[in-house]
Amino acid sequence: MIDWNKIRKHEETIKKNNEKLNLEKDFKKRERIKLKIKIEELKVKIEKLN
């Protein structure tokens, strides 16, 4: 069964991280934020498969 609450939570964190990404100037921190976004997107995909 799909848990829509988890999906919404992950989507909210993706939005927050995208905002942080737009503000950040340091390369390493930007890459870290990009990875966090990718991980959250994968979590959403996994949750949709359940």
Side-chain angles (χ1 to χ4, degrees):
M1 193 78 189
I2 298 175
D3 189 359
W4 293 104
N5 291 329
K6 282 186 182 179
I7 292 175
R8 276 191 223 107
K9 181 183 140 197
H10 293 307
E11 289 173 347
E12 288 175 11
T13 55
I14 290 171
K15 286 180 187 178
K16 287 179 187 175
N17 284 336
N18 277 330
E19 291 173 3
K20 288 181 187 177
L21 185 66
N22 291 334
L23 297 175
E24 190 59 52
K25 303 293 182 203
D26 185 35
F27 178 75
K28 284 185 179 181
K29 288 183 181 180
R30 284 182 61 87
E31 290 299 311
R32 216 177 269 155
I33 294 171
K34 286 180 186 177
L35 287 174
K36 287 181 181 180
I37 291 171
K38 294 281 186 187
I39 290 170
E40 290 296 324
E41 289 172 349
L42 289 173
K43 286 180 180 179
V44 168
K45 287 181 181 179
I46 290 170
E47 191 59 41
K48 286 182 179 178
L49 289 175
N50 287 341

